[in-house]
Amino acid sequence: MRATTIASAVLLVGGITASTAQADDPAVSIYTASQLGKAKFEPYGEHLYISDLVADGKSTVARLVVQGDTTYYYWNRTSAGSTRHVDMSLPEDRHVALVAYTGVWDGTVTGGIHWDSYDHMLEHVSTFS
C-alpha cells in the first residue's frame, strides 16, 4: 500500500514537471549597474527592448548571445526615458543570454561600450528563443 502511494506521488510529480517543462520560457529583464538602463527579451515573437532610464549622456546597450549562432549588440541612442524595440528573427530552441551595458556611441558597434557597467550581481539573464 505504501509503495503504491509513493509510486503514485512520483508519477504525479513527474507529470507536473513534464507539463511545466513544455510551457513557453518567460521574458527576462536585466538592468545596467546603478539601474541607468534596462534590457528585456521576450522569447515569444523574439522581441528585444532596450530602455534608457536616466539622462546621463550615456546610451543603453543590450548584448544578446545566442547559443550556436552569434552575439548581437543593439543600442538605444535616442534619449533618456525612451525604449527601443527590436523585432528579431532568431534560430528556435537556442539558449539566449542577455546583458545590459551603458556606453557612448563612437560609430562602431562595440567601441563605446563601458564594459564594466553591467549588473555585477546577476551578470546576465537567460532564456530560450
Side-chain angles (χ1 to χ4, degrees):
M1 172 82 161
R2 185 172 188 199
T4 305
T5 304
I6 292 171
S8 296
V10 169
L11 286 173
L12 178 61
V13 170
I16 292 170
T17 303
S19 63
T20 305
Q22 301 299 321
D24 290 335
D25 292 298
V28 291
S29 297
I30 191 164
Y31 287 90
T32 62
S34 302
Q35 297 191 350
L36 301 173
K38 177 182 172 183
K40 178 181 180 181
F41 179 72
E42 296 179 353
Y44 183 75
E46 299 161 346
H47 296 278
L48 177 64
Y49 299 91
I50 309 108
S51 299
D52 188 336
L53 304 174
V54 177
D56 60 355
K58 299 173 188 163
S59 300
T60 302
V61 186
R63 180 182 79 181
L64 195 69
V65 180
V66 181
Q67 173 190 25
D69 188 32
T70 193
T71 300
Y72 299 90
Y73 294 91
Y74 288 99
W75 289 68
N76 177 355
R77 298 184 292 147
T78 50
S79 62
S82 67
T83 298
R84 177 181 178 195
H85 170 240
V86 181
D87 189 359
M88 305 184 76
S89 180
L90 301 175
E92 297 298 319
D93 299 322
R94 301 284 177 93
H95 181 261
V96 175
L98 178 65
V99 181
Y101 300 97
T102 60
V104 177
W105 180 252
D106 73 353
T108 65
V109 175
T110 60
I113 295 175
H114 302 144
W115 293 104
D116 197 36
S117 64
Y118 65 92
D119 181 337
H120 293 268
M121 295 300 289
L122 286 178
E123 293 187 18
H124 71 274
V125 289
S126 301
T127 190
F128 287 87
S129 61

